[in-house]
Amino acid sequence: MKIDILTLFPGMFAPVMEESILGRAKENKILDIRLTDIRDYSQDKHKKADDYPFGGGAGMVMMADPVFRALEAVQAEGKRILYMSPRGKTLNQELISDLAEEKEMVILCGHYEGIDERIIEYWNMEEVSVGDYILTGGELPAMILIDAVARMVPEVLGSSKAHHEESIYSGLLEYPQYTKPREYRGIEVPEVLVSGHHKMIHLWQFEKSLELTKERRPDLLTEYIKNTEFLTKDEKKILDKIMRSEDRND
């Protein structure tokens, strides 16, 4: 997958894109992430890329010309172009899975009070938000999007099944995890996890996922129980127990 990132602050990306899973994916040429400094395409002698908004208002707005030129330089026409914006569609797993199918995409990081609307309209940009809050720019949201999408790209995690076992992908929040030592400061790892009984371990993990999802994200649990045909008989018993417990609490 090739990802072009257009930003006023390319230096922000190196600590994230060069390390850990993303760094290895780049090194192994699974991901081709390219940074473009929008200021390089400003025709102003001071590399100015923003100006005061027409009609007044606080802050500055990114100018159309430098962004247009940067988009043309990366040959963005015909590609999926995302603009990280608090007014955009909220990033969720459905959108992440959809983006993971793309071979190429372009991400524009806004800054200041936003960008000239003509950029969005002319380039048919898809506005994407990472939540109902305001950040200083689109760089951090872009990193979140890339990290989430990259995990869905085959070979990035080294296992085609790895991401499906994690929180959200399965439809439930992830169960508690433990590692060595078996006992730490008087706190023991649950006995079932060291029993070697794989079926019992799986059922324990499933039950804990249900409990956590019910407690913290009941909206996910509501969606999950709409399709339970794939569950085993033992899993259905556990789900029934969790739902009965919910009824009693009501």
Side-chain angles (χ1 to χ4, degrees):
M1 173 182 281
K2 178 185 176 184
I3 304 174
D4 280 293
I5 305 168
L6 278 58
T7 172
L8 295 173
F9 302 96
M12 291 182 65
F13 287 86
V16 174
M17 301 301 160
E18 303 298 331
E19 297 290 341
S20 189
I21 291 171
L22 290 180
R24 291 196 298 271
K26 279 188 65 179
E27 184 178 342
N28 294 330
K29 303 188 184 305
I30 301 168
L31 295 180
D32 181 9
I33 301 175
R34 303 184 183 189
L35 293 165
T36 296
D37 189 339
I38 296 170
R39 293 186 193 278
D40 290 343
Y41 295 90
S42 172
Q43 299 190 86
D44 179 79
K45 64 179 180 180
H46 300 296
K47 297 298 182 182
K48 184 178 180 180
D50 63 290
D51 212 328
Y52 294 102
F54 283 120
M60 308 288 277
V61 175
M62 287 174 62
M63 301 163 66
D65 189 62
V67 179
F68 263 68
R69 292 177 180 276
L71 287 164
E72 290 165 347
V74 301
Q75 300 179 320
E77 187 172 357
K79 299 176 184 177
R80 193 162 183 178
I81 308 175
L82 310 178
Y83 168 49
M84 307 311 298
S85 164
R87 73 182 190 185
K89 176 182 179 181
T90 302
L91 184 67
N92 57 25
Q93 190 53 45
E94 181 182 0
L95 178 55
I96 289 167
S97 298
D98 183 39
L99 292 172
E101 298 295 323
E102 300 288 335
K103 298 298 182 183
E104 295 186 56
M105 63 179 165
V106 179
I107 302 175
L108 172 62
C109 303
H111 219 79
Y112 310 119
E113 292 303 309
I115 67 175
D116 192 304
E117 188 71 17
R118 289 168 291 189
I119 303 169
I120 299 171
E121 293 176 355
Y122 182 90
W123 291 92
N124 192 30
M125 291 187 169
E126 188 175 344
E127 297 184 65
V128 179
S129 168
V130 294
D132 295 331
Y133 45 86
I134 306 298
L135 297 172
T136 55
E139 285 76 17
L140 290 174
M143 295 178 205
I144 292 171
L145 184 147
I146 292 168
D147 187 273
V149 170
R151 297 173 67 82
M152 299 295 293
V153 175
E155 300 180 351
V156 166
L157 292 183
S159 169
S160 60
K161 297 181 180 179
H163 56 68
H164 291 291
E165 296 175 353
E166 296 182 344
S167 175
I168 299 299
Y169 298 115
S170 67
L172 300 172
L173 298 185
E174 191 173 28
Y175 48 80
Q177 299 274 18
Y178 301 86
T179 187
K180 296 179 181 179
R182 183 169 172 177
E183 181 274 331
Y184 181 71
R185 298 195 178 190
I187 306 171
E188 293 271 356
V189 172
E191 185 66 28
V192 65
L193 297 181
V194 294
S195 67
H197 196 306
H198 297 299
K199 179 180 177 181
M200 295 305 297
I201 291 172
H202 166 73
L203 292 175
W204 180 91
Q205 292 170 337
F206 179 65
E207 183 170 0
K208 293 302 178 183
S209 286
L210 287 171
E211 289 175 350
L212 285 170
T213 306
K214 173 189 167 186
E215 175 188 347
R216 301 178 186 180
R217 291 292 306 275
D219 57 312
L220 291 179
L221 185 59
T222 299
E223 286 298 313
Y224 184 81
I225 62 178
K226 289 179 180 178
N227 180 21
T228 59
E229 291 86 355
F230 61 92
L231 296 180
T232 66
K233 184 185 296 186
D234 290 326
E235 289 171 337
K236 287 181 179 178
K237 287 181 180 178
I238 292 173
L239 177 59
D240 288 343
K241 182 177 74 171
I242 296 296
M243 299 309 295
R244 286 197 302 272
S245 171
E246 182 178 12
D247 293 339
R248 286 196 297 271
N249 290 337
D250 290 342

